[in-house]
Amino acid sequence: MFDKILIANRGEIALRILRACKELGIATVAVHSTADADAMHVRLSDESVCIGPPASKDSYLNVPALLAACEITGADAVHPGYGFLSENARFAEILGEHNLHFIGPKAEHIRLMGDKIEAKKTAKKLGIPVVPGSDGAVGPDDDAMAIAKKIGFPVLVKSAAGGGGRGMKVARSEADLEEAVSTARAEALAAFGNDAGYMEKYLGKPRHIEIQIVGDGAGNAVHLGERDCSLQRRHQKVWEEANSPALNVDQRMKIGQVCADAMKKLKYRGAGTIEFLYENGEFYFIEMNTRLQVEHPITEAITGIDLVHEQIRVASGGGLSVTQDEIHFHGHAIECRINAEDARTFVPSPGTITHFHAPGGLGVRIDSGVYQGYKIPPYYDSLIGKLIVHGRTRVECMMRLRRALDEFVVDGIKTTLPLFQDLVDNQDIANGDYDIHWLENYLASKPA
């Protein structure tokens, strides 16, 4: 096991990792920008190091500063959390070159799954079902129309180098294709410095289902069920559930085992998530995230397994703490991402929190690094916390969520709490009857 872990992140995920380290008796080092000097994870860590000014490129993405912090403090491992350097293969290699452990997958797997075209090819080889599409990148010299006709309209043109909705355009007919391809390439080049794109069948009303896996890097892997992340705005997840209201036990176990078997073949190490579009009883691979997900707590809620503990165990050379037959699913869990944003316009709302009261009680968990008097900086992601509720049934879970939302108080800034108070009382949500387009259609129907 490691002696000291440097947490190369900020906010709620840095605090989440710190808590896991403390439970395992591992010393912690918090790094922070000047804007985060008063952050909760900095206050609670054993040591802290300032690594630069507010801009991420000068602090949380500053690899030399992170290496220096490891050397100064004697940290022997780095946990990247999510975002920032968590899926940077070169960062993982650099740590290894300095005799430091990266708490995450092998660099080769980060690189492989970071390229969406290669990831899709690999998934197909591993027996994971994929969306019908182009065999590789669709270049300027390729006959995009011939490829699209073979797939069948509508088609989706996607960036090979990134996500978040950038470099992604739908062509519903032959007349739309040329503009969709050129626009997607331009957006991808501007956002990711790479205009490579690929084409796949566009699904009309799919759900977004993801399978949580953990591997030990030596050929052992397990799945921990699925999460339904279909409630999205601009391809950003807003509300997540485990298990999905759309799947039955047989479907869950079948696709879960397919993913676990694939990760065994790959000899994948650490936590990862295989994401699918699901429509008409069929799963279609879209990408794999080689890191911890924001929504991992709902999987922890229904399985009782600490995913950060597992990450640390396997990165240090230990095996998985559980076998597949020891993993059982209990009840239902929902996570709401609370952002410092206007609940209607989604304009960011940085500022000082003048009053903060977190809900509590049975089955309620808050993952947040904020507190009364904390100043939300304007430089980073607007996520200020996650409300996770768990119940024996989905109905009980929804009842608990409604109560917890009523208790949750954040004053001084605008938050998305009112949005969730609306959603929890919506009949479609209560019935679990929604897809990846539902939330944007709902928001568009609301009066200004």
Side-chain angles (χ1 to χ4, degrees):
M1 191 59 75
F2 304 122
D3 293 319
K4 186 181 291 187
I5 292 175
L6 182 140
I7 304 168
N9 217 296
R10 63 177 301 277
E12 64 87 15
I13 189 59
L15 186 57
R16 165 73 186 92
I17 296 163
L18 183 148
R19 287 169 170 158
C21 291
K22 284 187 175 290
E23 290 174 5
L24 294 171
I26 301 170
T28 55
V29 178
V31 295
H32 63 89
S33 69
T34 53
D36 281 334
D38 293 326
M40 185 60 77
H41 74 285
V42 176
R43 294 184 173 197
L44 294 180
S45 63
D46 297 301
E47 299 174 71
S48 63
V49 179
C50 181
I51 53 172
S56 297
K57 66 181 178 64
D58 299 320
S59 52
Y60 298 105
L61 296 174
N62 187 337
V63 174
L66 291 168
L67 292 173
C70 288
E71 184 174 352
I72 290 167
T73 60
D76 55 347
V78 175
H79 197 307
Y82 55 72
F84 294 132
L85 295 167
S86 62
E87 292 181 287
N88 188 306
R90 182 59 189 138
F91 179 57
E93 289 171 341
I94 290 171
L95 290 178
E97 291 165 4
H98 289 78
N99 296 316
L100 296 166
H101 295 272
F102 179 74
I103 301 177
K106 302 167 188 176
E108 63 189 274
H109 293 152
I110 299 174
R111 188 170 284 116
L112 178 66
M113 292 302 177
D115 183 315
K116 293 189 178 181
I117 293 172
E118 289 304 314
K120 186 176 179 180
K121 289 180 180 177
T122 302
K124 198 170 183 178
K125 290 177 185 175
L126 293 171
I128 297 173
V130 301
V131 183
S134 59
D135 292 331
V138 180
D141 298 328
D142 292 320
D143 188 344
M145 183 63 72
I147 296 170
K149 286 181 177 179
K150 183 178 179 181
I151 297 168
F153 285 95
V155 297
L156 184 64
V157 184
K158 300 176 73 174
S159 166
R166 291 170 292 182
M168 182 184 296
K169 295 295 173 183
V170 177
R172 298 186 181 278
S173 67
E174 294 181 21
D176 301 332
L177 186 62
E178 183 177 351
E179 182 180 354
V181 170
S182 61
T183 304
R185 282 179 182 154
E187 285 186 5
L189 183 62
F192 311 114
N194 182 349
D195 69 352
Y198 62 102
M199 198 182 295
E200 63 187 27
K201 179 69 177 174
Y202 177 72
L203 302 175
K205 297 184 69 176
R207 295 181 83 110
H208 184 128
I209 305 291
E210 58 189 31
I211 305 297
Q212 177 69 61
I213 60 89
V214 186
D216 67 359
N220 297 308
V222 296
H223 75 87
L224 289 86
E226 88 283 2
R227 297 184 288 258
D228 194 320
C229 307
S230 302
L231 287 173
Q232 304 178 8
R233 175 184 172 271
R234 295 184 177 177
H235 303 283
Q236 299 297 315
K237 300 167 187 175
V238 173
W239 161 309
E240 298 104 353
E241 302 194 43
N243 295 298
S244 170
L247 301 189
N248 59 39
V249 174
D250 289 342
Q251 290 172 310
R252 173 174 307 120
M253 300 310 291
K254 182 178 179 180
I255 191 63
Q257 196 58 54
V258 166
C259 293
D261 289 344
M263 294 303 102
K264 290 175 184 178
K265 295 175 188 174
L266 199 61
K267 294 189 176 178
Y268 184 83
R269 184 186 70 200
T273 301
I274 302 173
E275 305 201 355
F276 296 91
L277 291 179
Y278 171 80
E279 190 172 71
N280 298 325
E282 299 292 335
F283 292 90
Y284 302 102
F285 172 85
I286 48 175
E287 65 180 345
M288 180 176 181
N289 291 135
T290 54
R291 55 169 168 79
L292 197 67
Q293 295 277 87
V294 177
E295 58 273 22
H296 76 274
I298 54 174
T299 294
E300 295 179 330
I302 63 169
T303 63
I305 296 170
D306 189 309
L307 285 166
V308 181
H309 283 191
E310 295 299 315
Q311 286 186 298
I312 294 170
R313 280 176 60 93
V314 298
S316 65
L320 297 170
S321 70
V322 291
T323 57
Q324 192 66 61
D325 61 355
E326 294 174 323
I327 297 172
H328 304 286
F329 305 106
H330 304 284
H332 195 88
I334 298 173
E335 175 180 291
C336 297
R337 300 192 189 190
I338 313 301
N339 291 341
E341 297 173 348
D342 184 281
R344 182 69 187 91
T345 66
F346 299 96
V347 172
S349 179
T352 302
I353 295 176
T354 56
H355 186 72
F356 182 82
H357 175 77
L362 180 64
V364 177
R365 167 177 166 180
I366 302 294
D367 277 21
S368 175
V370 308
Y371 52 87
Q372 188 166 316
Y374 177 72
K375 187 173 183 179
I376 304 291
Y379 312 105
Y380 311 111
D381 184 275
S382 61
L383 179 68
I384 59 173
K386 303 178 307 199
L387 170 60
I388 303 104
V389 296
H390 179 251
R392 291 173 298 174
T393 64
R394 188 172 186 268
V395 171
E396 183 177 87
C397 191
M398 293 285 283
M399 293 166 57
R400 189 157 286 155
L401 176 60
R402 183 178 294 105
R403 185 266 297 172
L405 287 166
D406 285 345
E407 286 184 29
F408 210 153
V409 178
V410 185
D411 289 337
I413 60 169
K414 294 180 179 179
T415 74
T416 50
L417 280 167
L419 170 64
F420 295 111
Q421 290 172 324
D422 284 346
L423 294 180
V424 78
D425 287 326
N426 183 277
Q427 195 59 49
D428 284 348
I429 303 300
N431 294 337
D433 184 17
Y434 54 84
D435 56 55
I436 63 170
H437 306 298
W438 188 94
L439 182 57
E440 291 198 330
N441 292 335
Y442 171 79
L443 292 170
S445 71
K446 300 281 284 184

